[in-house]
Amino acid sequence: MDELKIEIKNLTKSFMGGEGEVKAIENLNLSIKENEFTVLVGPSGCGKSTLLYMLAGFEKPTSGSILLDNQIIKGPGPDRGFVFQDFVLYPWKTVVRNISFGLEIQGFSQKEAIEKAKQKINLLGLQGFENAYPHTLSGGMKQRVGIARALAYNPKVLLMDEPFGSLDAQTRKLMQEELLRIWNKEKKTVVFVTHSVIEAVFLADRVVVLTDRPSRVKGIIDIHLDRPRDYEHTYTDERYIELREKVLNILKDEVIHHKQHYESV
Amino acid sequence: MKARKINKILSFMAPLLLFFIIWQIVGVLDLMDTTLLSKPTKVFERIIQLIQATNKKTIIEHSAESITRTTIALFLATTIGCSLGILLGLKKNIEETLNPIITFLMPIPGIAWAPLFITWIGFGNPTIISVGTLSAFFPIVYNTSLGIKSINKQIIWSTSIMGANRRKIIKDVILPGSLPHITTGFKLGLARSWRTVIAVEMLAATTGGLGYMVFDAREYLDVTTVYAGIILMAFLYLLVENTLIKELENKTIKRWGMIT
Ligand SMILES: Nc1ncnc2c1ncn2[C@@H]1O[C@H](COP(=O)(O)OP(=O)(O)O)[C@@H](O)[C@H]1O
Ligand SMILES: [Mg+2]
């Protein structure tokens, strides 16, 4: 548990846009331990997705570096899995083929890959939907497929960009509990982005609050709540409520800052 | 399901039937010169005659010639157009070089190429098929490259993080992901090559084809045969689009929810 997994050092990322250079992230430093559940929160547009994309290797830092297992991240690779807010499943593949595809890429035969994918189907409660096409599923089911697909080839790190952001409140809570159950079974280092403080504190070992753009680490709050957690118990836990207040207070200034700068009327 | 299908066909046929009835009335009451206008009953009689004709090519043989030419033209246009479209969609610098040329050539009506091709390679099938291919080529190449360019970046990322190489991503993600656009290009290509082949047949066909048949009938002032040919041109196209193409879509992009 105390092994250092990810080390972000002096990370800066800027984009060239129509109105010149936009600094999304500036001098961000953060270390993440193995099998730790880290949740990033921050005002919208502060650079959370950008940070996750660099961890995934989709985007390159402008300066600074990200180490994964002491190696500089050079590009995307199967030691990581990614879950998007909009699911981005393959519409032309059935549920089971969506999940098995990563294993086929790893060199498993189609038959073996499907066999292994079945385990994840069971883990995510997708039995009975193996041969359905994604467009026939509800949002919650789609994201179950998204998570199963990301877990199928057994990556060490799971990167999740507001994965429950487009689900209704009820499904969202259910999926949070499901995610914790799965994480408890398949130990992974999780980096989870959300703008919901309720979700962040419920899930995290550590909540990292980012500043408004350009993004840096504003504060880190350790969440020493008992596990396993579920809504029935954790929700009414006084420490949970206190921690939520604490995160909210740190975040508040940044949200106000964001409003003043980008939504000035 | 079945009832809905029949309903749909009926609501498509009703206005057509009305049109034919009005045409028939105008013809029967002699409201206009019948040698120019003919009558639906006469046209359908003629179609039957032309199907059974023994002294000359039947209308079925003419149709078969047009269909064969269109099929070859469409096959060539799809092969060349899709390959080039994929290349253009993937390689920005090639696209930037070729796009002005394609944009310039695209609006030219297919038939306008006929005089050139007749001069180059003479009358007959090579010219008809070449011009048909050319006219189907542009919508296919354009829509294929558009489809490839409009693939969601995140779906490519999803695949690259699993360790897929470029080749795998192109084959298993970019190509299937562009299928809705490729289908659109193919359908436009079908419509275009059908029209162009028939048009060029009027100028360059030496043996047969619906265009040839119609143009030939005009020389004998046989308006009824002209109408028979025209009706068949529409009928055959609609038949192919509503059976073959529909079926293909239903089994692929429609089934996958990629089009509504
Ligand atoms: N590819 C890009 N080109 C230009 N600007 C970008 C690009 N990606 C993100 N940005 C900008 O960087 C900032 C951070 O974006 P993002 O990481 O998506 O924020 P968040 O996920 O926290 O809402 C935003 O201001 C956004 O407009
Ligand atoms: Mg985001």
Side-chain angles (χ1 to χ4, degrees):
Chain A
M1 180 80 187
D2 288 309
E3 218 48 39
L4 194 63
K5 189 73 182 171
I6 297 169
E7 214 181 342
I8 303 170
K9 291 197 272 197
N10 294 324
L11 184 71
T12 297
K13 176 73 182 177
S14 44
F15 292 105
M16 290 309 291
E19 293 144 38
E21 195 184 38
V22 175
K23 266 213 164 100
I25 293 169
E26 190 170 32
N27 270 324
L28 187 141
N29 289 284
L30 181 66
S31 297
I32 293 170
K33 285 186 226 121
E34 187 165 25
N35 295 340
E36 189 176 38
F37 201 124
T38 304
V39 177
L40 308 175
V41 292
S44 73
C46 81
K48 302 181 294 294
S49 295
T50 305
L51 176 57
L52 225 49
Y53 291 165
M54 285 189 286
L55 282 168
F58 302 150
E59 308 243 22
K60 299 222 165 357
T62 307
S63 67
S65 60
I66 308 179
L67 302 179
L68 174 62
D69 291 325
N70 293 316
Q71 302 271 321
I72 289 183
I73 290 176
K74 293 236 172 63
D79 49 352
R80 284 149 286 160
F82 205 101
V83 180
F84 290 96
Q85 175 174 350
D86 300 322
F87 326 122
V88 272
L89 305 172
Y90 308 112
W92 56 89
K93 287 182 187 288
T94 57
V95 165
V96 66
R97 296 303 299 275
N98 261 280
I99 300 169
S100 69
F101 188 49
L103 291 157
E104 285 171 44
I105 292 170
Q106 301 302 302
F108 287 97
S109 74
Q110 191 176 310
K111 211 175 140 203
E112 288 172 313
I114 288 175
E115 212 44 58
K116 278 178 172 282
K118 292 258 165 76
Q119 295 167 8
K120 299 299 180 248
I121 295 235
N122 294 338
L123 181 69
L124 271 297
L126 286 162
Q127 300 96 325
F129 294 92
E130 290 89 342
N131 298 316
Y133 284 99
H135 77 105
T136 63
L137 304 178
S138 67
M141 292 305 266
K142 280 184 189 150
Q143 199 56 297
R144 282 171 193 266
V145 180
I147 295 169
R149 181 178 67 173
L151 291 175
Y153 53 94
N154 203 20
K156 295 287 181 315
V157 178
L158 190 58
L159 306 167
M160 308 181 88
D161 191 6
E162 306 199 33
F164 308 142
S166 50
L167 306 181
D168 62 84
Q170 206 57 38
T171 313
R172 192 170 180 155
K173 281 184 180 172
L174 182 69
M175 290 300 290
Q176 289 163 9
E177 292 182 341
E178 287 280 280
L179 179 62
L180 286 185
R181 179 182 62 78
I182 290 158
W183 176 68
N184 191 43
K185 261 195 182 158
E186 315 219 331
K187 282 295 173 193
K188 306 270 176 225
T189 309
V190 179
V191 185
F192 185 110
V193 163
T194 181
H195 56 244
S196 155
V197 174
I198 298 174
E199 181 171 77
V201 176
F202 179 71
L203 294 171
D205 289 324
R206 281 199 315 164
V207 174
V208 177
V209 180
L210 300 176
T211 64
D212 194 17
R213 216 175 59 205
S215 182
R216 275 168 291 106
V217 174
K218 170 107 191 256
I220 299 179
I221 302 95
D222 286 306
I223 311 293
H224 293 300
L225 294 172
D226 307 333
R227 293 192 189 267
R229 298 175 195 167
D230 60 59
Y231 263 100
E232 204 187 325
H233 297 100
T234 310
Y235 232 46
T236 49
D237 188 332
E238 266 173 36
R239 286 172 301 163
Y240 169 72
I241 296 161
E242 258 171 46
L243 284 164
R244 255 169 56 183
E245 284 308 311
K246 203 168 158 188
V247 174
L248 264 175
N249 274 325
I250 299 175
L251 190 60
K252 205 162 64 190
D253 299 340
E254 294 309 317
V255 174
I256 290 168
H257 177 270
H258 181 81
K259 282 228 159 71
Q260 282 169 348
H261 278 248
Y262 304 108
E263 291 166 30
S264 46
V265 196
Chain B
M1 189 73 179
K2 198 121 207 171
R4 251 183 61 199
K5 211 167 178 179
I6 292 167
N7 237 329
K8 230 174 123 183
I9 293 171
L10 279 182
S11 64
F12 182 85
M13 295 295 285
L16 270 180
L17 209 66
L18 186 71
F19 171 78
F20 282 122
I21 290 170
I22 292 172
W23 182 7
Q24 183 73 19
I25 292 171
V26 173
V28 169
L29 297 181
D30 227 348
L31 295 177
M32 281 173 79
D33 188 351
T34 42
T35 49
L36 292 182
L37 200 66
S38 195
K39 275 188 303 232
T41 43
K42 253 177 87 180
V43 174
F44 289 117
E45 238 171 76
R46 179 60 48 85
I47 291 178
I48 307 292
Q49 279 168 14
L50 289 172
I51 289 174
Q52 295 166 337
T54 47
N55 57 339
K56 56 183 170 191
K57 266 198 178 160
T58 66
I59 202 167
I60 293 178
E61 286 168 309
H62 283 298
S63 301
E65 267 186 64
S66 297
I67 290 172
T68 309
R69 288 174 182 137
T70 305
T71 309
I72 297 172
L74 193 59
F75 172 78
L76 291 172
T78 308
T79 313
I80 307 167
C82 274
S83 314
L84 190 63
I86 290 166
L87 193 71
L88 295 182
L90 293 174
K91 301 263 182 234
K92 209 171 169 134
N93 50 348
I94 300 182
E95 198 215 354
E96 275 164 5
T97 316
L98 291 185
N99 225 9
I101 302 173
I102 293 175
T103 312
F104 182 78
L105 296 177
M106 190 139 79
I108 300 172
I111 184 80
W113 296 101
L116 260 188
F117 277 83
I118 291 172
T119 316
W120 287 342
I121 50 181
F123 292 93
N125 276 333
T127 285
I128 302 171
I129 292 170
S130 303
V131 178
T133 305
L134 197 60
S135 69
F137 166 78
F138 288 105
I140 294 176
V141 74
Y142 175 80
N143 281 284
T144 304
S145 82
L146 182 67
I148 298 219
K149 280 183 295 178
S150 46
I151 291 276
N152 179 352
K153 197 161 63 176
Q154 294 185 340
I155 206 165
I156 296 177
W157 284 349
S158 288
T159 318
S160 67
I161 202 166
M162 296 171 176
N165 57 25
R166 182 100 185 118
R167 208 188 133 93
K168 185 95 179 150
I169 292 174
I170 292 171
K171 183 172 142 285
D172 286 346
V173 178
I174 295 180
L175 285 184
S178 327
L179 260 186
H181 280 95
I182 294 176
T183 309
T184 302
F186 181 80
K187 278 159 76 172
L188 290 171
L190 169 67
R192 271 228 202 178
S193 57
W194 182 238
R195 290 173 204 171
T196 305
V197 161
I198 289 170
V200 181
E201 278 172 353
M202 298 190 190
L203 300 179
T206 50
T207 53
L210 285 175
Y212 174 89
M213 183 193 86
V214 160
F215 212 65
D216 187 52
R218 180 205 63 113
E219 294 203 8
Y220 308 98
L221 290 175
D222 180 3
V223 197
T224 308
T225 299
V226 175
Y227 285 121
I230 287 176
I231 286 175
L232 220 63
M233 292 169 199
F235 174 76
L236 288 173
Y237 177 80
L238 289 176
L239 190 73
V240 170
E241 191 182 67
N242 285 290
T243 54
L244 236 75
I245 308 281
K246 266 266 151 59
E247 195 57 25
L248 218 67
E249 280 183 341
N250 285 344
K251 286 218 165 98
T252 56
I253 48 181
K254 184 125 195 211
R255 180 157 182 232
W256 304 330
M258 293 172 87
I259 54 162
T260 43

